Amino acid sequence: MPKLSAIYTIILTLGGLYLALALLLFLFQERLIFLPSRPVPFTPEVAGLSYSEHFFPTENGLMLHGWWVYHEGDDALSRPAILFCHGNAGNIANRIPLLEIFHGLGYNIFIFDYQGYGKSEGRPGERQILADGIAAFDFMTGELGVARDRILPLGRSMGGPVAAWVAINRNTTALALESTFTSIPDIARKTYPIFPVGLLARVKLPTRDFVKQFEGPVLVAHSPGDMLIPYEMGRIIYETAPGQSYWLELAGNHNDGHIATGPAFGQGYQAFIDRYFP
């Protein structure tokens, strides 16, 4: 009997620990998903890029911060404009090398921080970042004067569902997704396989479901060497798109595809963008 009692004690202890961890995942998942940084130590000026700084309201009235990285000249606003939706960590200051690449290809870029990131007010959440993407698009067509059919929503990693949400709600010409996931629960099942994440996940960010609703052309870029977001998720999104889909094979890990892929990175984007934004 003492041995049986000890077994029961172990089972109850492990069960209690399991439930406690599951509860923590349920209550604090935003802190695991959204990893903002407040300081913005660099601006596009360090890369020699012309830019203007902007603050604009999002759905709940809080102010977001962004940069308009542009080309000068009479044809400036006729150039394709990328709405850059970044990933879950850091802020816009960490994306300057990518801004430099896209600017070098001849495009204008508007990059912004979600609520709680960088100089943007508020706290991040699923509803918040999706609304922020819409607010950024509307700011481009309003204050910046960019024609809506010249804007390409481009989402990297967690920015993928944000860009896809913008595409289906603003009926954009095209959509680009780089190194993104099918959904947060799909990622969580791989990270926390012992937990019923389908029941625990309050944050969904269902990129695949959003892409299913977009009839326009979609560029999907992913690397087989991505150690954070599985390569097969990119393939699933590519195969899910109901319209014309294009695949850009990247090299390297999750955050260095633009470097490891070499010139093919910019060439792949340029071929897609110039096709649909001549």
Side-chain angles (χ1 to χ4, degrees):
M1 291 300 292
K3 288 184 178 180
L4 193 58
S5 177
I7 292 173
Y8 285 149
T9 300
I10 293 173
I11 291 173
L12 289 173
T13 300
L14 292 176
L17 180 60
Y18 177 87
L19 291 174
L21 291 174
L23 181 61
L24 288 174
L25 285 175
F26 179 77
L27 294 176
F28 298 105
Q29 58 194 257
E30 284 87 356
R31 296 189 183 184
L32 297 173
I33 296 169
F34 305 107
L35 305 173
S37 174
R38 280 298 190 182
V40 182
F42 309 109
T43 72
E45 187 176 13
V46 301
L49 303 177
S50 298
Y51 83 103
S52 53
E53 185 175 43
H54 300 275
F55 291 88
F56 58 99
T58 188
E59 179 186 57
N60 57 15
L62 296 177
M63 301 301 290
L64 304 180
H65 173 244
W67 294 327
W68 173 235
V69 180
Y70 60 89
H71 287 265
E72 301 192 33
D74 295 338
D75 67 338
L77 287 179
S78 66
R79 292 171 181 262
I82 294 172
L83 171 57
F84 194 103
C85 306
H86 67 68
N88 73 314
N91 58 50
I92 57 178
N94 305 113
R95 278 76 189 184
I96 291 176
L98 284 164
L99 301 181
E100 190 172 10
I101 290 174
F102 289 118
H103 186 271
L105 294 174
Y107 311 129
N108 298 321
I109 312 101
F110 186 63
I111 185 170
F112 67 100
D113 268 328
Y114 312 114
Q115 293 179 54
Y117 286 74
K119 297 180 181 180
S120 294
E121 298 176 339
R123 295 177 60 182
E126 179 173 28
R127 176 179 174 177
Q128 286 82 357
I129 68 170
L130 295 178
D132 295 345
I134 297 293
F137 182 92
D138 291 346
F139 180 77
M140 292 179 73
T141 59
E143 294 297 319
L144 296 180
V146 183
R148 61 188 301 116
D149 62 356
R150 303 300 289 167
I151 300 175
L152 172 68
L154 188 163
R156 278 209 78 255
S157 192
M158 190 193 71
V162 179
W165 182 250
V166 171
I168 62 177
N169 282 277
R170 290 297 182 265
N171 192 29
T172 61
T173 300
L175 168 65
L177 302 171
E178 182 183 325
S179 306
T180 194
F181 45 77
T182 49
S183 72
I184 289 293
D186 289 345
I187 283 286
R189 287 186 188 96
K190 293 181 176 294
T191 308
Y192 308 104
I194 65 171
F195 293 104
V197 295
L199 298 174
L200 297 175
R202 291 180 289 101
V203 178
K204 308 292 186 183
L205 292 175
T207 313
R208 176 174 50 186
D209 292 344
F210 292 163
V211 169
K212 286 180 181 178
Q213 302 174 54
F214 183 65
E215 299 290 340
V218 180
L219 173 69
V220 181
H222 216 114
S223 169
D226 193 323
M227 302 299 291
L228 182 62
I229 297 177
Y231 178 75
E232 58 265 27
M233 289 194 176
R235 295 300 303 181
I236 290 170
I237 292 172
Y238 168 76
E239 293 163 5
T240 294
Q244 184 68 51
S245 55
Y246 297 82
W247 181 257
L248 174 57
E249 184 91 357
L250 302 182
N253 206 334
H254 184 67
N255 289 314
D256 64 359
H258 60 290
I259 299 172
T261 308
F265 179 85
Q267 292 165 3
Y269 271 104
Q270 189 166 36
F272 178 77
I273 295 173
D274 289 355
R275 181 184 183 95
Y276 292 103
F277 301 88

